[in-house]
Amino acid sequence: KNSLLTMPRNTMLPRRVGIRGPQICLVQRGSRKFKAYQIVVRHVWGKKPTKHKYIEDLGYYEAFTDERGKRYVQLKTERVKYWIGHGAQISGGAYRIFHIAGIVPPAPMRRTITLAEVRLARYLHEQLKEAGHLKGLPDGIKPVN
């Protein structure tokens, strides 16, 4: 038997946890060879019943290049800043477009630096220091164990 059918009516079902609130994302438009994306604000998982598929249209991005080698981006920057200020989550593709437009700062580096890279940088630093190329830089770099 399905356990959902036997549960009492007033029992709360477990909800999905994760991103809450509206999200700024890309919706694919155009054809297979000429991809274009509409930048929209939507409710995550479609939880809120609305008349439309998304809350607001924020712009348009054409991923293909024209004859001059340029890509077309149209954004409503004031509305984008409004939604970011009100806590809307930004998807990865939309974040990249907003960074190119100068609305958001660059995304942080996801790669962590290993201990071997730190030791190599310290060794190269000492070599340059002994050669006399690093005059005026601070001393007192503590060793890494």
Side-chain angles (χ1 to χ4, degrees), residues 27-135:
V27 178
Q28 186 173 341
R29 302 283 185 239
S31 63
R32 185 171 54 94
K33 289 189 177 183
F34 299 102
K35 291 192 188 229
Y37 297 93
Q38 189 177 9
I39 303 165
V40 298
V41 179
R42 69 176 178 94
H43 291 292
V44 182
W45 308 316
K47 290 287 183 187
K48 301 273 184 180
T50 57
K51 188 176 178 183
H52 306 287
K53 292 182 181 179
Y54 51 86
I55 302 171
E56 186 177 354
D57 181 20
L58 296 179
Y60 201 73
Y61 167 66
E62 291 179 357
F64 58 91
T65 57
D66 61 2
E67 58 273 354
R68 298 176 297 159
K70 305 288 183 184
R71 292 185 175 155
Y72 179 75
V73 178
Q74 177 189 2
L75 287 174
K76 299 176 185 174
T77 55
E78 293 300 319
R79 296 304 295 169
V80 169
K81 290 176 184 177
Y82 168 82
W83 281 107
I84 292 172
H86 280 75
Q89 300 290 323
I90 308 172
S91 70
Y95 196 97
R96 182 175 58 89
I97 293 170
F98 294 160
H99 167 63
I100 292 169
I103 297 173
V104 294
M109 255 182 42
R110 293 189 180 179
R111 192 176 79 82
T112 57
I113 298 174
T114 63
L115 186 59
E117 290 172 330
V118 171
R119 288 180 177 154
L120 176 64
R122 179 159 288 118
Y123 172 76
L124 294 174
H125 179 80
E126 292 297 327
Q127 293 293 323
L128 290 171
K129 195 173 187 182
E130 289 173 6
H133 297 293
L134 298 178
K135 293 184 180 178

